[in-house]
Amino acid sequence: MELRGHDVSCPQIYAHATAVTQLSNLVVNLREGRVSSFAWDNSCSGCSPSQCLKSSQSLSEENFTEGSQFFSEGTCGESADFCIGTPAACNLKVFVTWAGTDKHGRNLVSAGSRLSKLAGPTLSSFYNTLKDGYNQASQALGK
C-alpha cells in the first residue's frame, strides 16, 4: 500500500456466471472542493445472503482469477437470467454521492443518501424503484 499511496481501489465484483449487480454506490470525498479520494460504498443489507456477491481481496496477475480470501462486505446481485433478451437490463448503474466540504467549507449532503445509509426493506424498495425506472426508460428508447 505504501508504494501505491492513495491511488488504489480494491477489486470489486459486479457479475459472475449466475448473478449480476445492477446498482453500486461510489462516494466521492472532497476537501474544500477538491477530490481527495473515492470509495465504493456497497453492502448486502438489502438482499439475502444468497444474492450477496463478495469481492476477492486479490486477483491473479496472469489470468485475473479471484483469490481465496474475500471481503466481509459485498454488493447485492440478481440472477443473470433476466439479462436474456434484454441485455441493457444488466448494465451496471453507479449511484454517485458526495462527502466532505465544498470550496467554501460547506458540508456536502448527498452522502447521507448513500445506499449503505438505507437499510433492509427501505434499500430494497429504493433499489427496485431505480431498477424499474431504468428498465422502463430502456424499453421506451428501444434498447
Side-chain angles (χ1 to χ4, degrees):
M1 179 72 168
E2 291 300 318
L3 295 176
R4 296 182 289 188
H6 296 284
D7 300 328
V8 62
S9 175
C10 296
Q12 302 290 312
I13 184 170
Y14 298 108
H16 60 64
T18 60
V20 176
T21 297
Q22 292 183 293
L23 181 63
S24 187
N25 190 182
L26 177 65
V27 180
V28 180
N29 296 299
L30 281 77
R31 286 190 191 133
E32 297 181 7
R34 294 182 180 254
V35 174
S36 60
S37 64
F38 68 92
W40 294 104
D41 185 37
N42 300 316
S43 78
C44 292
S45 63
C47 60
S48 69
S50 65
Q51 292 176 305
C52 185
L53 304 179
K54 293 189 177 179
S55 294
S56 174
Q57 292 183 6
S58 64
L59 296 173
S60 164
E61 291 181 20
E62 293 177 16
N63 57 13
F64 301 105
T65 56
E66 62 190 15
S68 60
Q69 294 182 320
F70 292 84
F71 291 107
S72 59
E73 287 293 323
T75 189
C76 293
E78 290 194 33
S79 170
D81 293 342
F82 71 90
C83 301
I84 299 169
T86 313
C90 290
N91 289 347
L92 176 65
K93 286 75 133 179
V94 178
F95 183 61
V96 178
T97 53
W98 305 87
T101 56
D102 68 12
K103 70 179 185 176
H104 302 290
R106 294 178 297 216
N107 289 326
L108 304 171
V109 296
S110 69
S113 300
R114 66 186 182 267
L115 299 180
S116 66
K117 291 289 185 180
L118 305 172
T122 303
L123 178 59
S124 180
S125 174
F126 177 72
Y127 172 78
N128 287 331
T129 300
L130 283 176
K131 181 179 80 170
D132 292 345
Y134 179 81
N135 289 339
Q136 288 174 3
S138 293
Q139 288 174 354
L141 294 173
K143 293 183 178 181

